[in-house]
Amino acid sequence: MSTSSAFNDEKGGSSSVGEPEYGHDPASGGIFSSDYKRHDDLKEMLDSNKDSLKLEAMKRIVAMIARGKNASDLFPAVVKNVACKNIEVKKLVYVYLVRYAEEQQDLALLSISTFQRGLKDPNQLIRASALRVLSSIRVTIIVPIMMLAIKEAASDMSPYVRKTAAHAIPKLYSLDPEQKDQLIEVIEKLLADKTTLVAGSVVMAFEEVCPERIDLIHKNYRKLCNLLIDVEEWGQVVIINMLTRYARTQFLNPNINESLLEEGGVGEKTFYGSDEDEDEDEDEKEKKAEAAALAKRKPYVMDPDHRLLLRNTKPLLQSRNAAVVMAVAQLYFHLAPKAEVGVIAKALVRLLRSHSEVQYVVLQNVATMTIKRRGMFEPYLKSFYIRSTDPTQIKVLKLEVLTNLANETNISTILREFQTYIKSMDKDFVAATIQAIGRCATNIGEVRDTCLNGLVQLLSNRDELVVAESVVVIKKLLQMQPEKHSDIIKHMAKLTDNIQVPMARASILWLIGEYCEHVPKIAPDVLRKMAKSFTNEEDIVKLQIINLAAKLYLTNSKQTKLLTQYVLNLAKYDQNYDIRDRARFIRQLIVPTEKSGALSKYAKKLFLALKPAPVLESPFKDRDHFQLGSLSHLLNAKAGGYQELPDWPEAAPDPSVRNVEVPEWTKCSSREKRKEKKVEKPFYSDSEGESGPTESADSESDSASGSESASGSEESGSRSESEESEEASESEEEEEEEEEKKKKKQKEVKKTVQESESEQSSEEDRKHERKSKPRKSDTESESDEDEESESESSQSESEDSESEAEVKKKKKASEAKPPSKPVKKESKKEKKEMSLLDLDDFEPSPSPQVTPVNTFLSNSLVTDLEGLSLSDSVLAPATIAPSSALKSYELLHRITGEGLSVEYCFSRQPFSPDANMVAVQMQVTNNATTDTKNLHIEDVKLQSGMRVKEFPEIELLAAGETATAVMGIDFCDSTQAANFQLCTHARKFFVSIQPPVGELMRPVFLTENEFKKEQGQLMGMNEITEKLTLDAKCRNEHAIVQRVTTAANLSRVPCGSDKECRFAGRTVTSSSLVLVTVATKEEGAAQLTVNCEKMVIGTMLVKDILLALTQ
């Protein structure tokens, strides 16, 4: 049969390659492969003299390999064609050889001379393929040949061949680790490569061969940062992970000052807060003051190279590749200052729209992040709600995230969401939801009772698994306060007849045994029932029956002595040795005999000792010691090849190791190049051209040890993010020219190079002034560093906080060293403008305001009042405030404040700059003998969602004088404290303002009908009722009204009955309705009802009003 006819047969498809053929014997009817003549036609085609036939054969062989079929028996026929002149055939032969060279090593060795010739081929693809095949032959004899080939390829003109050389390095290292030193030389050479094609591959080789040699990265660090945006996606992942570890060894922890200040703040708070510590030594107080002063004296200045890494990785959060986004997210989490980490939340939430496999990995990492940085993901709470189509493992992870995000403000929403999840058909998911409710209840005390009641209702569920899981969770919750819940224990005792799940039965028996004194009548009866079914129970239940018998014998031996003996006798002959041993041990312990030792005296203490309540913790609590995004983190176990994330250094290593010596002529040319190309490609201004990356970051490093160059690159980077619109880019260019002129002047003035830190800060100072000049009083406008594409609230908040941090740096720098004169004038002028604007904000404006009408008056009342001329004073809620004086709180004691004392009260006036803020009136008194200057607020630390509007700076407060200032705080409907520093020209004091729940509201006018209608809509979980006995002085209507309005900022609602007092208000931030009813009965008895959309606020308000009415 000729080759051509064979080829035509194949083409016709009469018997396709390697496909099974049908047997000719009709009786067999089976399918078999004709192995004896398999691939004969292909072999004939490969032996043909025609290149077209060879090419066709190779295409079909490669197609077979792609389909996963075995083509190894064709190796001898294919390897003969490695010397073929046709370049297309040659390429395909190399593709085949790379796949099978490792399996057929002996045959591959025969062709090694051909591969060596291929390394000299003029075609770069052939050179690369030859090296790839050579490195795939796993035989130690050819190690020297491979080493030589890799060294030659590393110097090849083609970046593709150099990339292949980088890929070959780990293969050779795994074959012969003794070649490490020579391979490190090749890696060092390839790391200096300036092409993006090689960068990712050589870093991968570095990670495989010598990850400990970070000295190789120093000189290439800035180049890698600048090339990062153009490297292929998998290279980006490898480089980012490597740079994360590098940065952890070379830079200081950006959050170190924050943690020091927090420690100092806590120390001061406990020192002044508790009465027991009043006799503490003065020395200790001085030490703490010194520690705080030390922390303040050394403000953290971020290394320019650290900033370069953060800035160049940020755009990659918009990558289409989930692995790249994940890599940048872990880099920011491990390296960025707290204020900047928030930007990764939006990118990670975007990945949740991807495939379930990607979702699983992302949610694992988000779950770990939410334990430390909960506020980051709170704005995206709804993104973690569970869909019915989600797989179970995704549902469980989303539950984990929701539980971690739960706090006082959002718990009511989350619990409502959990209520719907319990109805799911997925039993594992329902069990996980019930556990999540239990964790929410332990973490947030305010909703513990609500959760417990909800779980008790689940005990009547038809599904046995739901009931069983509820029992286990209730058991853990009851351990926290069992004395309150004896009725729940009784209810659970009745379930022993119905529940068959062993773990649930065991939990019920443990509860009854542990708290048998709370249910003295029921416990013996439960034991009687259990004794009947003892032999049929599971082992875990049997052990708990023995424990229950022992505890009842010790507390109520009269009723249970015989029962206990019966249970112990049954256990004595049980099949399980654990149960037999337990019975023998307990008998000796509780039934004293002559032989029994001293332990039996302490039987009660052993069995009935107080046991600590279990702590329900997240399974992700300790995972953050693994690098996020790694396999080890995913498995929660150290995987092979995992490298630990190093700790931050105590002192910063020398930054000059990253400086690269650049010839003078190169500097000039690169600088001119940048000026020419800036207009065309603003985004890549740092990494223009092949030689750009290294020089752009380093060109100015001589002048001030790299600090000026970094601040310059910082500005260009911030521009690169915002220059997406043409107008912005034009204005930026003009500003940049001005900036360069200023820089030249600055350089002429400065004489020494050592003051690089103050130089950098003054430069940032100017940058901030330049940016704030076009800005008006609108505090919410975003800084120029914003990406226009990211316009969501979380982004704006995080970037605002960045600009605030810059302002703080500016203030510190200006105290340390005055900048050049023109800048000084400008900042003074700006300061005046700002303070004038702030004063305008706080002064009562003469123009009539319309907004309070809508917020404080109902629609019906507004229509009634139409046509009447209402002045502001009529509409202000001052009229609603109780007649008694507002309660004052101490913010700063005069001893702590070194003569400065501050008191504050919640003025209950609307805060005019922002209606969602609570107005806090501060009275500052200077009791010292010297004047106090520049009194202002700094370093505001808030929980997620909270905001502060600072009072205007008090420039001078003379000795003995008192000044009043008003600030606004948006507490976000929670009673969490707003922490900040109160600063004078000389000192800083840590203070915090924590609002009573009653001050988080504003009065609202409702008619009686409106009140009843709203109350009807807020029933069920939104209604809390408490019975109380009124204080003797508080039994008339006037006294009740006064006490309720003092406790909470509510307004009186008209009521037809004289035995009821009604009050209404709305929360300041979310405008959630709060309705309070006090119904009086005979002999001072009364009932308090609070209806509120927010369960936590309702619970806390009930406590406060109860306290006001009963004391």
Side-chain angles (χ1 to χ4, degrees):
M1 187 178 181
S2 71
T3 52
S4 58
S5 64
F7 172 59
N8 291 334
D9 283 351
E10 281 298 310
K11 273 293 215 191
S14 57
S15 61
S16 58
V17 182
E19 293 292 332
E21 294 178 1
Y22 290 91
H24 298 293
D25 178 9
S28 70
I31 298 172
F32 61 91
S33 259
S34 52
D35 285 341
Y36 59 91
K37 57 177 184 179
R38 196 177 180 198
H39 307 321
D40 274 3
D41 48 346
L42 286 172
K43 287 174 185 172
E44 284 179 26
M45 288 167 75
L46 287 168
D47 291 341
S48 160
N49 295 327
K50 290 184 178 177
D51 283 349
S52 57
L53 285 178
K54 285 182 180 178
L55 187 61
E56 185 63 33
M58 283 312 302
K59 280 180 182 175
R60 284 162 60 190
I61 292 166
V62 171
M64 281 167 60
I65 295 168
R67 288 205 301 273
K69 294 189 176 172
N70 185 12
S72 56
D73 54 340
L74 289 164
F75 196 90
V78 173
V79 84
K80 278 188 279 186
N81 290 293
V82 78
C84 179
K85 293 279 190 291
N86 187 312
I87 204 149
E88 294 301 317
V89 174
K90 211 170 191 175
K91 281 183 199 171
L92 292 174
V93 168
Y94 276 121
V95 169
Y96 176 89
L97 292 175
V98 168
R99 169 69 182 79
Y100 287 110
E102 205 164 328
E103 291 175 24
Q104 307 271 352
Q105 289 177 358
D106 296 338
L107 284 168
L109 280 170
L110 295 173
S111 310
I112 202 153
S113 57
T114 317
F115 303 147
Q116 284 178 289
R117 276 203 304 279
L119 292 169
K120 303 278 191 294
D121 197 278
N123 188 318
Q124 58 173 354
L125 291 172
I126 300 297
R127 294 201 301 275
S129 300
L131 179 60
R132 199 176 285 127
V133 173
L134 199 60
S135 60
S136 300
I137 302 171
R138 317 281 294 152
V139 180
T140 47
I141 307 164
I142 64 159
V143 165
I145 299 170
M146 280 169 70
M147 190 73 233
L148 202 65
I150 289 170
K151 282 182 175 175
E152 282 181 16
S155 310
D156 198 282
M157 293 291 288
S158 162
Y160 181 67
V161 178
R162 299 201 297 273
K163 180 190 179 78
T164 310
H167 285 163
I169 290 170
K171 292 184 189 175
L172 179 53
Y173 178 68
S174 66
L175 184 63
D176 184 8
E178 289 177 10
Q179 303 293 324
K180 183 173 179 177
D181 293 338
Q182 289 187 60
L183 290 173
I184 288 173
E185 287 173 24
V186 181
I187 289 172
E188 190 170 6
K189 186 178 183 180
L190 288 171
L191 276 170
D193 203 303
K194 290 170 185 169
T195 53
T196 53
L197 200 63
V198 182
S201 304
V202 71
V203 170
M204 188 71 225
F206 169 82
E207 291 281 78
E208 291 282 325
V209 178
C210 54
E212 72 287 346
R213 288 286 306 274
I214 56 164
D215 55 295
L216 300 179
I217 303 297
H218 290 323
K219 299 285 183 197
N220 302 297
Y221 171 81
R222 292 173 186 162
K223 181 196 69 185
L224 285 172
C225 287
N226 289 318
L227 285 182
L228 195 56
I229 198 92
D230 294 318
V231 177
E232 85 284 356
E233 289 164 343
W234 297 112
Q236 287 173 345
V237 173
V238 173
I239 293 172
I240 290 168
N241 284 325
M242 184 273 290
L243 290 179
T244 305
R245 282 195 298 282
Y246 176 85
R248 283 291 283 255
T249 60
Q250 297 302 307
F251 307 129
L252 290 177
N253 183 355
N255 300 313
I256 190 159
N257 268 17
E258 200 163 299
S259 57
L260 274 172
L261 293 176
E262 275 172 13
E263 284 165 24
V266 170
E268 267 184 44
K269 203 170 185 181
T270 51
F271 185 77
Y272 291 109
S274 63
D275 299 330
E276 296 162 9
D277 299 344
E278 275 179 8
D279 56 346
E280 212 173 297
D281 293 344
E282 283 293 319
D283 299 345
E284 201 161 330
K285 179 182 163 187
E286 283 169 19
K287 276 179 194 170
K288 281 174 188 167
E290 278 170 21
L294 189 78
K296 288 171 208 160
R297 229 177 283 138
K298 290 186 179 177
Y300 168 77
V301 178
M302 185 178 278
D303 190 300
D305 289 325
H306 191 169
R307 171 59 64 201
L308 179 75
L309 175 61
L310 292 175
R311 198 183 64 240
N312 283 13
T313 48
K314 190 177 176 183
L316 296 177
L317 286 171
Q318 294 170 15
S319 172
R320 64 186 176 177
N321 189 314
V324 176
V325 177
M326 194 64 247
V328 178
Q330 65 83 25
L331 178 133
Y332 262 74
F333 184 77
H334 291 305
L335 301 181
K338 271 186 184 174
E340 296 175 35
V341 180
V343 296
I344 66 174
K346 187 177 173 186
L348 290 175
V349 168
R350 174 171 65 83
L351 293 185
L352 294 180
R353 301 186 194 123
S354 193
H355 306 294
S356 58
E357 294 83 1
V358 174
Q359 281 185 51
Y360 181 73
V361 176
V362 171
L363 284 167
Q364 288 260 5
N365 290 285
V366 170
T368 305
M369 289 180 190
T370 48
I371 291 168
K372 273 198 169 180
R373 308 264 168 90
R374 189 169 66 189
M376 206 160 78
F377 291 97
E378 277 179 5
Y380 305 103
L381 186 72
K382 287 185 180 173
S383 303
F384 301 104
Y385 283 177
I386 288 150
R387 297 185 179 87
S388 55
T389 52
D390 287 335
T392 305
Q393 69 270 23
I394 300 289
K395 288 177 178 175
V396 171
L397 279 172
K398 282 187 174 179
L399 263 182
E400 180 63 39
V401 174
L402 286 172
T403 313
N404 290 346
L405 293 179
N407 59 25
E408 292 168 356
T409 44
N410 60 24
I411 185 66
S412 48
T413 320
I414 289 174
L415 284 179
R416 266 201 299 277
E417 193 70 16
F418 285 175
Q419 276 178 317
T420 57
Y421 298 164
I422 289 165
K423 295 166 189 164
S424 168
M425 298 302 290
D426 184 344
K427 297 305 163 212
D428 293 336
F429 170 50
V430 172
T433 306
I434 292 168
Q435 286 171 9
I437 292 171
R439 260 183 57 204
C440 289
T442 52
N443 297 341
I444 302 162
E446 283 85 354
V447 293
R448 192 170 296 153
D449 292 348
T450 313
C451 291
L452 204 50
N453 294 340
L455 290 168
V456 170
Q457 284 171 7
L458 287 179
L459 295 177
S460 54
N461 197 296
R462 288 179 190 172
D463 193 327
E464 194 179 354
L465 281 168
V466 173
V467 177
E469 199 62 47
S470 304
V471 167
V472 176
V473 173
I474 288 171
K475 173 207 150 191
K476 290 174 181 172
L477 291 180
L478 288 183
Q479 275 181 267
M480 293 178 181
Q481 35 185 203
E483 61 286 342
K484 284 188 183 178
H485 304 293
S486 55
D487 51 339
I488 296 177
I489 299 171
K490 287 174 191 170
H491 179 60
M492 289 172 78
K494 292 172 190 170
L495 294 171
T496 48
D497 299 336
N498 307 324
I499 295 181
Q500 297 306 318
V501 178
M503 190 65 205
R505 288 175 77 82
S507 294
I508 294 172
L509 293 174
W510 185 90
L511 264 179
I512 293 166
E514 189 64 20
Y515 305 115
C516 50
E517 68 274 11
H518 294 301
V519 283
K521 291 179 182 175
I522 293 172
D525 200 46
V526 171
L527 181 62
R528 179 182 62 77
K529 285 182 181 177
M530 287 293 132
K532 277 184 187 177
S533 60
F534 184 86
T535 49
N536 302 323
E537 297 289 355
E538 290 285 334
D539 292 345
I540 189 172
V541 183
K542 285 179 181 176
L543 288 170
Q544 288 306 330
I545 294 172
I546 297 169
N547 281 353
L548 174 62
K551 287 171 184 175
L552 288 175
Y553 182 85
L554 292 169
T555 54
N556 185 3
S557 58
K558 195 183 288 183
Q559 277 183 295
T560 56
K561 188 173 182 179
L562 291 169
L563 266 176
T564 305
Q565 285 176 353
Y566 174 66
V567 168
L568 290 173
N569 285 335
L570 286 174
K572 187 177 178 181
Y573 300 106
D574 196 86
Q575 288 181 341
N576 187 311
Y577 55 81
D578 275 342
I579 292 162
R580 296 199 298 273
D581 284 354
R582 177 68 65 91
R584 200 175 297 123
F585 157 67
I586 283 177
R587 190 190 291 275
Q588 289 297 320
L589 201 57
I590 64 170
V591 185
T593 59
E594 293 169 7
K595 292 178 185 177
S596 62
L599 266 180
S600 58
K601 295 175 191 173
Y602 304 106
K604 263 197 176 182
K605 283 187 180 176
L606 284 172
F607 279 100
L608 301 170
L610 280 173
K611 297 170 183 68
V615 180
L616 301 177
E617 284 184 340
S618 166
F620 290 85
K621 188 172 182 286
D622 300 320
R623 279 205 195 182
D624 58 348
H625 63 274
F626 290 118
Q627 188 172 350
L628 292 186
S630 63
L631 179 64
S632 302
H633 175 270
L634 193 75
L635 302 173
N636 199 20
K638 195 171 178 179
Y642 172 72
Q643 291 160 38
E644 294 283 350
L645 198 63
D647 292 326
W648 293 102
E650 291 292 320
D654 181 19
S656 62
V657 292
R658 288 183 291 278
N659 293 347
V660 180
E661 291 300 321
V662 183
E664 205 57 44
W665 62 271
T666 324
K667 281 190 200 176
C668 301
S669 62
S670 71
R671 206 173 278 171
E672 282 162 20
K673 254 189 220 172
R674 270 190 297 168
K675 278 184 185 174
E676 285 167 18
K677 295 189 181 182
K678 209 173 277 171
V679 186
E680 294 167 20
K681 267 192 177 180
F683 192 82
Y684 297 112
S685 58
D686 277 350
S687 56
E688 209 47 78
E690 283 212 355
S691 61
T694 43
E695 288 121 32
S696 65
D698 306 336
S699 57
E700 294 172 309
S701 59
D702 313 330
S703 61
S705 71
S707 71
E708 279 197 24
S709 71
S711 56
S713 62
E714 218 173 298
E715 284 151 20
S716 60
S718 64
R719 280 194 295 276
S720 71
E721 286 173 27
S722 62
E723 279 177 1
E724 288 176 14
S725 69
E726 289 174 23
E727 294 170 31
S729 64
E730 283 171 25
S731 60
E732 286 288 325
E733 279 166 41
E734 287 168 20
E735 285 170 3
E736 190 171 300
E737 283 170 24
E738 287 172 26
E739 190 77 359
E740 281 183 13
K741 285 176 192 171
K742 282 185 186 177
K743 267 190 202 170
K744 283 174 188 171
K745 283 182 191 173
Q746 194 85 351
K747 281 180 190 170
E748 285 165 19
V749 174
K750 285 170 187 162
K751 291 172 186 174
T752 58
V753 182
Q754 294 152 359
E755 296 169 3
S756 62
E757 275 183 27
S758 59
E759 230 175 285
Q760 186 191 349
S761 57
S762 64
E763 205 152 304
E764 280 180 10
D765 189 345
R766 286 203 307 282
K767 184 174 85 175
H768 189 75
E769 282 169 10
R770 192 191 74 209
K771 285 178 182 173
S772 59
K773 206 187 282 178
R775 224 192 272 171
K776 297 202 171 78
S777 65
D778 185 7
T779 53
E780 281 145 32
S781 69
E782 309 211 339
S783 63
D784 287 357
E785 287 180 45
D786 273 0
E787 289 177 29
E788 288 176 10
S789 60
E790 296 182 6
S791 60
E792 288 199 11
S793 59
S794 65
Q795 180 74 6
S796 67
E797 278 169 26
S798 67
E799 304 232 358
D800 278 354
S801 64
E802 279 179 41
S803 62
E804 279 168 29
E806 282 183 31
V807 176
K808 285 168 203 160
K809 276 189 191 172
K810 183 178 86 173
K811 282 182 182 169
K812 283 180 188 169
S814 60
E815 279 173 27
K817 177 187 171 187
S820 53
K821 285 176 187 176
V823 181
K824 200 168 186 179
K825 282 178 191 171
E826 201 173 281
S827 63
K828 251 188 192 175
K829 191 176 177 184
E830 188 183 323
K831 205 180 215 178
K832 274 186 187 173
E833 285 175 21
M834 287 298 285
S835 59
L836 280 168
L837 286 166
D838 289 351
L839 287 167
D840 285 350
D841 279 350
F842 288 109
E843 279 172 11
S845 53
S847 60
Q849 294 177 331
V850 187
T851 44
V853 182
N854 299 334
T855 49
F856 293 113
L857 302 181
S858 70
N859 295 335
S860 58
L861 227 81
V862 172
T863 49
D864 292 345
L865 294 169
E866 262 180 353
L868 293 172
S869 59
L870 289 174
S871 67
D872 280 354
S873 57
V874 177
L875 296 176
T879 52
I880 306 142
S883 54
S884 59
L886 294 166
K887 188 177 177 184
S888 286
Y889 304 87
E890 187 174 72
L891 186 65
L892 186 65
H893 191 271
R894 60 191 176 83
I895 296 171
T896 323
E898 297 176 6
L900 191 72
S901 66
V902 184
E903 289 190 343
Y904 69 94
C905 68
F906 298 93
S907 64
R908 298 193 174 182
Q909 299 286 344
F911 186 66
S912 54
D914 191 334
N916 288 342
M917 288 189 172
V918 177
V920 180
Q921 189 170 317
M922 303 169 94
Q923 196 163 7
V924 188
T925 308
N926 185 5
N927 301 303
T929 51
T930 55
D931 293 355
T932 300
K933 297 173 190 170
N934 304 350
L935 190 68
H936 62 282
I937 287 174
E938 258 184 36
D939 197 18
V940 180
K941 289 193 181 72
L942 303 172
Q943 296 295 326
S944 158
M946 288 169 64
R947 296 176 298 129
V948 162
K949 173 79 176 169
E950 300 166 7
F951 61 81
E953 184 176 308
I954 300 172
E955 292 185 0
L956 180 69
L957 186 62
E961 282 192 9
T962 300
T964 305
V966 180
M967 67 185 290
I969 307 177
D970 179 358
F971 288 103
C972 208
D973 289 351
S974 80
T975 54
Q976 291 172 324
N979 302 305
F980 54 89
Q981 285 184 10
L982 199 61
C983 305
T984 65
H985 66 295
R987 283 300 310 270
K988 294 183 181 181
F989 306 101
F990 289 91
V991 291
S992 67
I993 294 178
Q994 188 162 14
V997 71
E999 301 299 342
L1000 300 176
M1001 297 156 201
R1002 51 182 170 75
V1004 62
F1005 294 101
L1006 294 179
T1007 62
E1008 189 172 4
N1009 290 338
E1010 283 175 336
F1011 184 93
K1012 285 178 179 174
K1013 184 185 171 187
E1014 294 289 357
Q1015 194 175 31
Q1017 290 172 355
L1018 293 170
M1019 303 300 278
M1021 287 176 88
N1022 295 321
E1023 183 174 84
I1024 303 158
T1025 307
E1026 286 284 348
K1027 289 179 181 173
L1028 65 145
T1029 306
L1030 294 168
D1031 182 40
K1033 295 176 186 173
C1034 182
R1035 296 201 176 170
N1036 61 344
E1037 190 180 336
H1038 176 71
I1040 292 170
V1041 171
Q1042 190 174 4
R1043 291 204 186 184
V1044 172
T1045 51
T1046 305
N1049 188 14
L1050 302 169
S1051 68
R1052 181 86 189 275
V1053 174
C1055 178
S1057 164
D1058 54 354
K1059 294 208 170 182
E1060 265 193 21
C1061 296
R1062 292 176 183 157
F1063 307 88
R1066 285 188 184 276
T1067 58
V1068 174
T1069 303
S1070 62
S1071 292
S1072 303
L1073 205 58
V1074 182
L1075 306 176
V1076 177
T1077 312
V1078 181
T1080 52
K1081 297 174 185 176
E1082 293 171 4
E1083 295 176 1
Q1087 182 171 308
L1088 170 66
T1089 308
V1090 173
N1091 300 75
C1092 181
E1093 288 172 40
K1094 300 211 166 197
M1095 285 186 280
V1096 177
I1097 285 191
T1099 312
M1100 291 161 79
L1101 189 61
V1102 165
K1103 287 179 187 170
D1104 284 11
I1105 295 176
L1106 270 176
L1107 207 64
L1109 294 175
T1110 53
Q1111 285 186 357

